[in-house]
Amino acid sequence: MTLTGSLPTGGLAAVEAEIRRACREARRERTSVNLVAVSKTFEADAIQPVIDAGQRLFGENRVQEARGKWPALIAAQPGIELHLIGPLQSNKAKEAVALFDAIHSVDRPSLCDALAKEITAQQKRPQLFVQINTGEEPQKAGIAPGEADDFLARCRDHWGLGISGLMCIPPVDEAPAPHFALTAKIAARNGLTQLSMGMSADFAVAIQFGATHVRVGSAIFGHR
Ligand SMILES: *Cc1c(COP(=O)(O)O)cnc(C)c1O
């Protein structure tokens, strides 16, 4: 184990080094990749050292859990940015728009209805990503690749939602690269510049395929 590996933020340092390596290899600027530190299931005392190490962008997958721990952390440290990366129930859209700076999981018309209403009511503009179910897995959220262009057009024309980019979670038992490539291709043909893809096991590959937001949990915080 390296020296940094024994520090509480050794995971963060190792992930940062790997992001830099992947950026060099892909001839991309380090600043073109946002590291979303996924703190789900971890308590404030595990998150604080990562904040102290300079990390400001965090991801949570449940509204309720985030509401319990983040308001105090945000109050104590200006400049924290919080992203919702997990599925969002329409009846939690109000809380989600109030708490999160970005929502990575826009995946169905009823949620678009709820988000459009809350964005107007709260005068907030969270960054929005449409989740693409690239593996067309029945148990997984997201828009099927073949329906993505229509859905994105409806987001714009019907709901007036400004979509920044796309998100995907490749099937666990498949090589991620084709899923990242497909997501990037759908984004490009729809004029979207942001790509939320890549987790602990595959964020370097995702950077190769153009990820602008890598969502990394266990490699930073340890096993859940
Ligand atoms: C938990 C989670 C992650 C982070 O996963 P790790 O493998 O721990 O890096 C990324 N994206 C989503 C949607 C998640 O729910």
Side-chain angles (χ1 to χ4, degrees):
M1 189 178 257
T2 61
L3 178 63
T4 53
S6 59
L7 298 172
T9 54
L12 178 67
V15 168
E16 177 59 33
E18 181 65 5
I19 291 174
R20 286 183 185 277
R21 191 200 57 74
C23 283
R24 266 197 311 276
E25 207 171 275
R27 298 177 195 283
R28 296 182 57 186
E29 296 287 340
R30 169 63 186 90
T31 52
S32 70
V33 178
N34 296 281
L35 171 59
V36 183
V38 177
S39 50
K40 66 186 185 197
T41 77
F42 288 94
E43 302 288 342
D45 62 352
I47 298 170
Q48 191 63 53
V50 177
I51 295 175
D52 293 342
Q55 179 68 23
R56 292 292 177 270
L57 173 53
F58 291 86
E60 289 282 343
N61 72 331
R62 298 180 61 204
V63 177
Q64 203 120 338
E65 183 186 339
R67 192 185 53 188
K69 63 191 182 191
W70 276 101
L73 289 164
I74 290 169
Q77 174 61 62
I80 296 278
E81 203 181 310
L82 193 59
H83 289 198
L84 179 65
I85 61 168
L88 177 58
Q89 291 170 263
S90 300
N91 63 10
K92 299 236 173 76
K94 182 176 183 168
E95 277 181 278
V97 169
L99 182 59
F100 291 97
D101 301 293
I103 296 169
H104 290 230
S105 46
V106 178
D107 63 356
R108 60 193 191 281
S110 59
L111 179 58
C112 291
D113 278 334
L115 286 173
K117 181 169 153 257
E118 285 307 324
I119 283 168
T120 304
Q122 299 184 36
Q123 291 289 299
K124 282 196 72 185
R125 291 224 152 266
Q127 207 182 352
L128 300 177
F129 294 79
V130 167
Q131 183 173 350
I132 306 296
N133 186 358
T134 56
E136 306 204 44
E137 298 171 278
Q139 83 286 5
K140 198 169 271 176
I143 302 294
E147 289 161 16
D149 296 357
D150 282 351
F151 185 78
L152 288 163
R154 277 187 83 198
C155 284
R156 186 186 59 227
D157 301 335
H158 180 71
W159 291 290
L161 291 173
I163 302 294
S164 307
L166 303 181
M167 180 270 229
C168 76
I169 307 172
V172 285
D173 53 352
E174 288 183 28
H179 297 274
F180 296 152
L182 175 59
T183 305
K185 186 173 144 192
I186 296 169
R189 72 172 179 241
N190 284 281
L192 302 175
T193 56
Q194 306 296 297
L195 291 168
S196 168
M197 51 193 206
M199 306 177 20
S200 289
D202 55 18
F203 65 87
V205 181
I207 289 170
Q208 235 181 291
F209 284 88
T212 61
H213 294 70
V214 292
R215 310 178 310 268
V216 181
S218 48
I220 296 173
F221 290 99
H223 289 294
R224 288 183 293 272

